[in-house]
């Protein structure tokens, strides 16, 4: 609430107290001249009166508010409302069922639309309430009894006022004397506060419902950036405050909120329009102003030629009033206004059109209205405007009134609040009727219990509990706050395409929810295209608002990252691990778990290679079995060869286990099988190279046969080396039990992988032992690279180990460099395992297979060794000049060691195997 209005309210309260005190003093201690002469020398307060048993008070803005006092006659909102009040009382008095035997009276006063003036007039309603002194206690100086000048009649209730500022001041006064008040037009939400205005009710809904209706209209057209103009005082301030609350809940931004002061001038209205033009993006203007301010705005818009630049969305103070748009049709074109939903009172229309100054004596302002309406002077006197704006009366010589002039208008032109005045009077009548039936059972008319009506009882027990059909399509009732239900018509001011005249057209209704015919609305410029009123366009799908600094209603749209969803309109949030945002970014969904399957191309390729390897290996095994007794097979060390071939088969077979869908069993087999297969191959190769190295190292030093070179010894040592790998694997399985896990390689990618629980580092550590075997094997291969040419298997072992080292050196970086793609990583592992087994198979067995299959003539004992080695004489010069001769002579010494079997002329099977093995070293 503005400072000016607070000061005004405070001044009104002071005036109220002073007036009440003066009234009490005037009643208790009347002036001597009144007592003595029984005449009233003061000018009487003008009022419209009807005599009756029970008096209903009325307050109407008969005159417009002037700058300093009362202004010109107010035809529709003043005279017409007053006549509707009097007409309704006449109709009730003519009823045989409502208040039988009781005549309702009336006492109506002018408020001029000003709260202080209305408060002064309302003191007449409470005069009877404080005139309770017994006149017999007073005597005149001559000894005669003192008689009151007039006996004021108490009012049972008051209908009015019109403006909320007036009703608030009057309600503060009437509550002191417990006089119920029913307003027909005051919609301020603050009047719903029963702790302050407990005797106030109304037949119109409060402005908080109107504010909700306005917000619903704005939201309907997706306007997000609007300006607001409101009047200072009890109507505009609470109304726009409630609109802001509703707008905030609907994400509607207020670009500017401009207040029009009570003492606004033309310059004020023009400045308001200039301020609105600065917010050029806010085309829609919410108008929550008094009628006078609405007219001032439209007049200023016409003067400044800003017609069509704003879309006016106005409250019921604008409503469907033609006076506002009479000379401002272009400025108001396309406006959307609210009007309380009401129906014309047809009987009142006939009554009002038949009124004339000769017969209408009870309305003291009707002659003035008649003169203003017909621009004439009654009784050949110049037309006088008694309520000038603070100045002397204005004399306007005109033609004389004849009295037979006619009022002509359409029924639709009936003042919009007529029905609510009609409902207010009937509400009092129904309440008094029920009160009379309860207090005066079986008695017709006013009984003793109703001589003085208890206003509090009338309000609490009857008025707030009534519900009746007014006969014009509406049910009159009040809620616990004394408010009527909210029902509004939505009007569109536009040109009639047929008549080419501007008029209000009903385009919808609001009664708790919006019912709007959007296609029936014509905007400024006679277009049906909905105007734009946004500071920024709505963000697209997947975008959030980034507000500009210091501006909450304008923003820049920024797109969320692919892995983020929109938590609210201003925040992007990353989805949890394993989840990915929906395409519209409203939430996240669980990703499908990926894993290697046998049908994948990444699995098919290594399985094909492994299958070829298994077939080749099995072919070699079958070939060796078939030629098991031939010198080539026997010379290759059959036992270790079979173990090595078995290890190759196992390595090839592991490809199928690695590409299988992960499970606890498969993960266990993978962790055991990879290291176990390699350990078979490289343990066998290590024992082979170690045996060769030991034999030739021993031959250089002595002719004594080195220990543990027999086939059984080699198998035992190979098994020991394999067991070490098995032991390490079981320890690993115990420390890190096998199982599966979900892996999220990158939270910014929609990938969830099911893998074995062990991580890549653990897997690499599990191969360290096999790497050690490969390194030692390679070292022995290097050491035996210069053995005699006929011992050529050591060279093939060397080729195999060199190639294996290259494969493993390439495997490690490739394996860890493909972590982003588990399929490529698994394929790399499978291919590396198959290549390692294939190298051993090709380098060690392909030459032997070639001899067995394609050159069987060489598969004899005499060709397994170079005959020149036996013939070379071990002379000193030869030994020093030819290393091969030395080694050959050492070999000869190893093979000619004296044994009992040899002396006896017999050769054992073991000796033959050793000799065959040595021949192919």
């Amino acid at each position: 609430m503005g400072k000016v209005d607070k000061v005004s309210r405070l001044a009104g309260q002071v005036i109220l107290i002073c007036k009440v005190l003066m009234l009490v003093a005037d009643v208790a201690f009347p002036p001597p001249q009144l007592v003595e002469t029984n005449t009233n020398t003061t000018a009487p307060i003008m009022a419209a009166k009807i005599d009756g048993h029970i008096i209903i008070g009325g307050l109407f803005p008969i005159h417009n508010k002037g700058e300093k006092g009362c202004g010109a006659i107010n035809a529709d909102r003043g005279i017409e409302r007053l006549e509707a009040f009097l007409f309704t009382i006449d109709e009730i008095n003519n009823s045989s069922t409502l208040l039988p035997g009781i005549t309702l009276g009336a006492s109506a006063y002018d408020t001029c639309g000003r709260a202080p003036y209305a408060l002064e007039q309302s003191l007449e309603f409470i005069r009877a309430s404080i005139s309770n002194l017994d006149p017999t206690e007073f005597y005149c100086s001559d000894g005669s009894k003192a008689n009151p000048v007039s006996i004021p009649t108490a009012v049972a209730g008051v209908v009015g006022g019109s403006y909320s500022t007036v009703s608030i001041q009057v309600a503060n006064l009437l509550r002191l004397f417990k006089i119920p008040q029913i307003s027909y037009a005051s919609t301020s939400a603050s009047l719903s506060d029963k702790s302050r205005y407990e005797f106030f009710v109304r037949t119109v809904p409060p402005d908080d419902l109107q504010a909700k209706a306005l917000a619903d209209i704005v939201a309907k057209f997706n306007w997000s950036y609007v300006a607001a103009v409101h009047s200072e005082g009890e109507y505009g301030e609470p109304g726009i405050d409630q609109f802001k609350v509703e707008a905030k809940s609907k994400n509607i931004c207020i670009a500017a909120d401009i207040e029009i002061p009570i003492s606004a001038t033309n310059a004020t209205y023009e400045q308001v329009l200039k301020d609105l033009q600065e917010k050029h993006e806010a085309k829609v203007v919410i108008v929550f102003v008094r009628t006078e301010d609405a007219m001032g705005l439209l007049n200023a818009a016409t003067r400044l030629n800003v017609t069509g630049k704003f879309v006016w969305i106005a409250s019921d103070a604008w409503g469907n009033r033609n006076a506002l748009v009479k000379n401002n049709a272009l400025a108001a074109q396309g406006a959307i206004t609210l009007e309380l939903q009401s129906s014309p009172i047809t009987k009142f229309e006939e009554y009002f059109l038949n009124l004339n100054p000769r017969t209408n004596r009870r309305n003291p302002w009707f002659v003035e209205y008649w003169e203003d309406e017909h621009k004439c002077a009654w009784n050949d006197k110049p037309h006088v405007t008694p309520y000038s704006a603070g100045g002397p009366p204005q004399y306007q010589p005109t033609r004389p009134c004849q009295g037979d002039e006619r009022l002509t208008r359409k029924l639709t032109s009936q003042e919009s609040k007529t029905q609510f005045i009609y409902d207010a009077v009937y509400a009092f009548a129904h309440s008094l009727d029920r009160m009379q039936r309860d207090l005066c059972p079986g008695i017709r008319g006013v009984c003793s219990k109703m001589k003085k009506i208890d206003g509090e009882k009338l309000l609490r027990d009857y008025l707030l509990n009534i519900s009746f059909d007014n006969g014009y399509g509406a049910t009159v009732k009040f809620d616990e706050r004394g408010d009527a239900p909210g029902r509004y018509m939505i009007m569109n001011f536009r040109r009639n395409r047929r008549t080419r005249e501007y008029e209000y057209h009903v385009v919808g209704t609001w009664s708790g929810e919006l019912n709007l015919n959007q296609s029936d609305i014509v905007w400024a410029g006679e277009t049906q295209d909905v105007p734009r009123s946004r500071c920024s366009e709505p963000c697209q799908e997947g975008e959030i608002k980034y507000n500009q600094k210091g501006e909450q209603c304008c923003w820049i749209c920024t797109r969320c990252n692919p892995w983020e969803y929109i938590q609210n309109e201003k925040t992007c949030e990353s989805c949890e691990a394993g989840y990915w945002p929906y395409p519209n970014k409203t939430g996240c969904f669980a990703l499908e778990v990926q894993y290697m399957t046998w049908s994948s191309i990444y699995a098919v390729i290594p399985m094909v290679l492994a299958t070829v390897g298994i077939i080749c290996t099995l072919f070699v095994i079958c070939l060796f079995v078939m030629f098991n007794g031939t010198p080539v097979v026997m010379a290759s060390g059959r036992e270790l060869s079979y173990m090595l071939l078995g290890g190759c088969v196992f390595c090839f077979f592991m490809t199928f286990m690695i590409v299988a869908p992960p499970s606890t069993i498969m993960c266990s087999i993978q962790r055991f099988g990879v290291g176990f297969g390699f350990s078979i191959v490289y343990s066998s190769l290590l024992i082979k190279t170690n045996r060769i190295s030991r034999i030739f190292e021993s031959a250089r030093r002595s002719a004594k046969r080195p220990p543990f070179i027999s086939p059984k010894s080699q198998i035992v040592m190979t098994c020991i080396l394999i067991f070490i790998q098995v032991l390490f694997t079981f320890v690993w399985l115990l420390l890190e039990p096998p199982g599966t896990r979900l892996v999220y390689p990158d939270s910014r990618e929609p990938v969830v992988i099911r893998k074995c629980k062990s991580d890549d580092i653990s897997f690499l550590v599990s191969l360290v032992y096999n790497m050690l075997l490969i390194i030692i094997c390679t070292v022995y291969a290097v050491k035996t690279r210069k053995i005699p040419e006929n011992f050529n298997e050591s060279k093939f072992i060397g080729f195999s180990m060199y190639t294996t080292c290259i494969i493993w050196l390439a495997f490690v970086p490739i394996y860890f460099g493909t972590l982003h793609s588990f399929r490529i990583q698994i394929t790399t592992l499978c291919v590396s395992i198959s290549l390692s087994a294939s190298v051993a198979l090709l380098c060690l067995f392909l030459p032997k297979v070639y001899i067995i299959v394609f050159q069987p003539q060489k598969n004899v004992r005499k060709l397994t060794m170079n005959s020149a080695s036996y013939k070379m004489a071990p002379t000193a010069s030869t030994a020093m000049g030819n290393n091969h001769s030395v080694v050959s002579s050492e070999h000869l010494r190893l093979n000619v060691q004296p044994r009992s079997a040899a002396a006896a002329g017999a050769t054992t099977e073991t000796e033959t195997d050793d000799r065959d093995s040595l021949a192919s070293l």
Side-chain angles (χ1 to χ4, degrees):
M1 186 178 295
K3 294 182 179 179
V4 176
D5 191 58
K6 292 181 179 178
V7 173
S8 176
R9 287 191 59 190
L10 181 60
Q13 298 293 338
V14 173
I15 293 173
L16 172 63
I17 296 172
C18 294
K19 290 288 185 180
V20 172
L21 293 176
M22 291 172 62
L23 182 61
V24 173
D26 185 50
V27 174
F29 306 101
Q33 66 270 25
L34 293 180
V35 176
E36 292 176 358
T37 63
N38 197 26
T39 60
N40 189 359
T41 60
T42 61
I45 296 177
M46 191 175 291
K49 292 184 178 291
I50 297 177
D51 294 332
H53 300 102
I54 300 175
I55 303 299
I56 303 296
L59 292 172
F60 302 93
I62 305 299
H63 293 85
N64 288 316
K65 180 178 66 175
E67 293 185 3
K68 296 183 180 180
C70 294
I73 195 74
N74 191 346
D76 52 354
R77 305 181 74 191
I79 294 298
E80 190 171 344
R81 288 180 179 181
L82 171 60
E83 290 298 340
F85 172 69
L86 301 176
F87 162 80
T88 308
I89 290 180
D90 289 341
E91 185 175 277
I92 293 170
N93 289 335
N94 293 329
S95 172
S96 59
T97 58
L98 194 61
L99 291 174
I102 298 177
T103 301
L104 282 182
S107 180
Y109 298 91
D110 184 11
T111 66
C112 293
R114 301 179 65 90
Y117 188 84
L119 191 63
E120 184 177 353
Q121 301 293 301
S122 300
L123 292 175
E124 296 299 317
F125 296 142
I126 66 171
R127 186 182 295 274
S129 299
I130 59 178
S131 299
N132 56 2
L133 300 178
D134 187 358
T136 59
E137 297 180 359
F138 298 90
Y139 293 89
C140 299
S141 57
D142 59 357
S144 61
K145 293 183 178 179
N147 296 316
V149 175
S150 63
I151 301 176
T153 303
V155 294
V158 175
V159 174
S162 179
Y163 296 99
S164 294
T165 52
V166 170
S167 291
I168 286 175
Q169 296 289 358
V170 173
N172 282 325
L173 173 64
L174 298 182
R175 66 187 288 267
L176 300 176
F177 299 92
K178 299 181 179 181
I179 299 175
Q181 173 188 0
I182 304 179
S183 175
Y184 51 84
S186 298
T187 58
S188 173
S190 59
L191 287 165
S192 297
D193 186 358
K194 295 299 105 177
S195 64
R196 297 170 58 192
Y197 310 105
E198 62 267 35
F199 283 85
F200 177 87
V201 295
R202 49 189 164 190
T203 54
V204 290
D207 284 335
D208 53 357
L209 296 180
Q210 185 173 193
K212 182 174 177 58
L214 291 173
D216 286 347
I217 293 174
V218 173
K220 177 70 174 180
F221 294 104
N222 294 321
W223 292 323
S224 59
Y225 195 59
V226 300
V229 179
H230 71 275
S231 295
E232 179 186 6
E234 292 294 340
Y235 176 74
E237 291 181 8
I240 205 65
D241 287 343
Q242 185 62 35
F243 174 79
K244 289 179 182 178
V245 173
E246 298 293 337
K248 185 177 181 180
S249 67
K250 298 180 183 298
N251 295 322
I252 300 170
C253 297
I254 309 298
D257 181 16
I258 305 173
E259 182 177 84
I260 299 178
I262 294 176
S263 57
T265 61
N266 288 340
T268 305
Y269 298 122
E270 292 175 3
Q271 185 59 45
V272 169
L273 290 175
K274 292 177 182 178
D275 293 341
L276 290 175
Q277 285 181 294
E278 292 181 0
K279 299 292 184 179
H280 53 87
E281 296 292 342
K283 301 294 185 183
V284 173
V285 181
I286 307 301
V287 181
F288 221 116
V289 299
R290 298 167 299 178
T291 304
E292 295 86 348
D293 292 332
M295 180 174 287
L297 276 177
L298 291 177
N299 290 338
T302 302
R303 289 195 303 272
L304 297 177
N305 194 26
V306 294
T307 58
K309 292 186 177 180
F310 302 110
V311 179
W312 308 105
I313 309 296
S315 63
D316 64 338
W318 178 333
N320 60 354
R321 288 165 180 75
N322 290 317
L324 301 182
V325 298
K326 185 176 182 180
N327 300 317
N328 304 303
L330 289 177
Q333 185 182 19
I336 301 293
T337 65
L338 291 183
E339 182 57 63
L340 288 168
Q341 190 170 352
S342 62
S343 301
I345 307 298
T346 53
K347 294 181 181 179
F348 168 72
E349 196 67 15
E350 181 182 357
Y351 159 84
F352 186 76
L353 294 179
N354 289 325
L355 290 174
N356 65 73
R358 292 191 180 93
T359 57
N360 190 11
R361 299 292 183 179
R362 61 188 180 182
N363 184 348
W365 302 284
F366 193 76
V367 170
E368 183 182 353
Y369 161 75
W370 192 268
E371 292 176 333
D372 183 77
E373 183 71 18
H374 298 289
K375 303 297 184 289
C376 62
W378 185 250
N379 292 335
D380 296 330
K381 296 180 181 179
H383 177 53
V384 180
T385 303
Y387 295 97
S388 61
Q394 298 177 1
Y395 293 88
Q396 301 174 359
T398 57
R399 65 179 180 83
C401 297
Q402 302 299 321
D404 57 355
E405 293 87 355
R406 301 293 297 175
L407 297 173
T408 57
R409 66 176 185 180
K410 298 178 181 178
L411 181 62
T412 55
S413 300
Q414 188 176 107
E415 212 284 322
S416 61
K417 297 299 188 297
T418 299
Q419 178 189 320
F420 301 108
I421 297 170
Y422 186 85
D423 294 342
V425 179
Y426 262 99
F428 271 127
H430 280 283
S431 300
L432 290 169
D433 182 70
R434 294 183 183 180
M435 187 178 191
Q436 192 272 342
R437 295 176 188 275
D438 291 343
L439 299 181
C440 311
I443 300 177
R444 182 181 176 86
V446 178
C447 63
S448 58
K449 292 183 179 180
M450 290 189 66
K451 289 294 183 182
K452 185 176 181 180
I453 295 177
D454 184 348
E456 184 173 8
K457 184 177 182 63
L458 176 65
L459 175 73
R460 304 296 181 198
D461 296 346
Y462 301 101
L463 192 58
L464 293 179
N465 295 318
I466 63 166
S467 178
F468 63 92
D469 187 349
N470 67 356
Y472 292 92
T475 300
V476 180
K477 61 181 179 179
F478 307 101
D479 61 17
E480 66 279 0
R481 301 187 304 173
D483 297 328
R487 297 187 298 269
Y488 297 95
M489 293 183 297
I490 302 174
M491 320 291 291
N492 177 216
F493 184 72
R494 68 186 192 187
R495 187 196 294 266
N496 189 309
R497 295 181 178 177
R498 184 174 57 84
T499 64
R500 307 306 296 172
E501 297 290 333
Y502 285 98
E503 63 184 16
Y504 292 98
H505 182 74
V506 178
V507 293
T509 59
W510 190 94
S511 55
E513 60 182 29
L514 182 64
N515 181 17
L516 184 65
N517 185 2
Q518 187 172 339
S519 62
D520 201 24
I521 298 176
V522 179
W523 306 100
E526 299 190 12
T527 177
Q528 289 188 305
D529 296 332
V530 179
R532 177 185 179 277
S533 188
R534 300 190 189 98
C535 181
S536 300
E537 291 296 330
C539 292
Q540 300 297 320
E541 186 177 275
E543 295 180 339
I544 61 171
K545 298 176 182 178
Y546 179 77
N547 288 97
Q548 301 177 14
K549 186 176 181 181
E551 182 60 74
Q552 294 298 318
C553 302
C554 304
W555 58 82
I556 298 173
C557 293
T558 58
R559 182 164 293 277
C560 292
N561 290 315
W563 60 88
E564 293 177 329
Y565 71 97
I566 299 177
Q567 187 180 49
N568 54 55
E569 65 177 11
K570 297 182 181 180
T571 307
C572 290
E573 189 71 25
S574 297
C575 292
E576 296 180 6
Y579 287 81
W580 195 254
Y582 291 107
N584 58 9
K585 298 288 188 177
T586 57
C588 300
F589 64 92
L591 289 168
E592 182 180 359
V593 179
Q594 302 180 29
Y595 51 86
M596 183 67 87
T597 59
W598 285 331
S599 60
S600 171
I601 186 65
Y602 294 95
V604 170
I605 292 175
M607 284 194 300
V608 170
L609 294 177
T611 302
V612 172
I614 291 174
I615 293 173
C616 292
T617 307
L618 293 177
F619 172 75
V620 174
I621 293 174
C622 293
L623 197 64
F624 269 47
V625 170
M626 291 172 59
F627 296 91
N628 189 57
T630 62
V632 170
V633 175
M634 295 177 64
S636 64
R638 290 177 298 185
E639 294 78 7
L640 288 180
S641 293
Y642 286 129
M643 290 188 69
L644 197 151
L645 289 170
C648 289
V649 172
F650 198 90
C651 287
F652 288 125
F653 178 74
M654 283 307 303
T655 294
F656 298 92
M657 300 296 101
I658 294 173
V659 299
S663 65
T664 302
I665 295 176
M666 286 298 176
C667 291
S668 301
I669 294 174
Q670 290 176 22
R671 289 167 64 176
F672 173 80
V674 174
F676 180 73
F678 281 144
S679 66
I680 296 175
V681 174
Y682 298 120
S683 294
S684 300
L685 287 176
L686 177 59
I687 296 302
K688 266 181 173 285
T689 55
N690 174 264
R691 177 172 173 270
I692 295 172
S693 177
R694 286 190 297 113
I695 288 174
F696 284 97
E697 287 295 330
S698 176
R700 287 190 181 97
R701 292 190 296 267
S702 66
K704 185 180 179 181
R705 178 187 181 91
F708 308 115
I709 63 172
S710 66
K712 292 182 180 179
S713 300
Q714 295 174 63
I715 292 174
V716 171
M717 288 188 291
T718 302
C719 291
I720 292 173
L721 293 178
I722 296 172
F723 177 76
I724 294 174
Q725 172 64 32
V726 173
L727 181 62
F728 285 161
T729 302
F730 275 109
V731 172
W732 181 28
L733 291 173
L734 290 175
L735 295 178
E736 191 177 357
T740 60
R741 61 188 174 108
L742 296 179
V743 179
Y744 314 102
D746 189 347
S747 60
R748 300 182 179 185
E749 294 293 336
V751 177
V752 180
I753 306 170
R754 189 165 73 210
K755 300 176 67 175
C756 292
K757 187 178 290 185
S758 61
D759 55 30
D760 299 304
I761 299 297
S762 298
F763 176 74
L764 187 63
V765 171
S766 70
L767 298 179
V768 168
Y769 177 71
N770 290 290
M771 294 178 186
L772 181 62
L773 293 178
I774 293 173
I775 293 172
I776 298 174
C777 242
T778 305
V779 171
Y780 277 119
V782 172
K783 289 178 66 176
T784 60
R785 72 185 184 281
K786 294 183 179 180
I787 63 174
E789 182 180 354
N790 55 320
F791 303 109
N792 54 10
E793 189 174 24
S794 62
K795 295 181 181 180
F796 295 127
I797 294 175
F799 294 150
S800 174
M801 298 318 300
Y802 305 151
T803 307
T804 300
C805 287
I806 294 173
I807 293 173
W808 279 62
L809 287 174
F811 161 72
V812 173
I814 293 175
Y815 182 78
F816 285 97
T818 55
L819 294 177
H820 64 283
S821 175
F822 75 99
R823 292 184 177 89
I824 296 178
Q825 186 184 47
I826 293 176
T827 301
T828 301
L829 175 62
C830 294
V831 171
S832 297
I833 294 172
S834 295
L835 286 178
S836 298
S838 298
V839 166
L841 182 66
L842 293 174
C843 292
L844 298 178
F845 296 97
L846 182 60
K848 298 177 176 60
V849 171
Y850 178 77
I851 292 175
I852 295 173
V853 176
F854 297 104
Q855 294 182 342
Q857 69 277 9
K858 293 183 179 182
N859 191 6
V860 293
R861 184 176 300 277
K862 67 178 181 178
L863 294 176
T864 57
M865 299 180 67
N866 192 333
S867 57
S869 299
Y870 292 94
K871 298 175 182 178
M872 187 176 295
T875 62
S877 59
T878 305
M880 296 180 63
N882 191 341
N883 185 45
H884 287 189
S885 300
V886 174
V887 176
S888 298
S889 61
E890 292 175 346
H891 188 185
L892 290 174
R893 285 197 295 270
L894 287 171
N895 283 278
V896 296
Q897 291 294 326
R899 294 187 181 182
S900 58
T907 303
T908 65
E909 183 181 354
T910 301
E911 187 179 11
T912 302
D913 291 342
D914 288 344
R915 187 181 299 114
D916 293 336
S917 297
L918 287 168
S920 61
L921 290 176

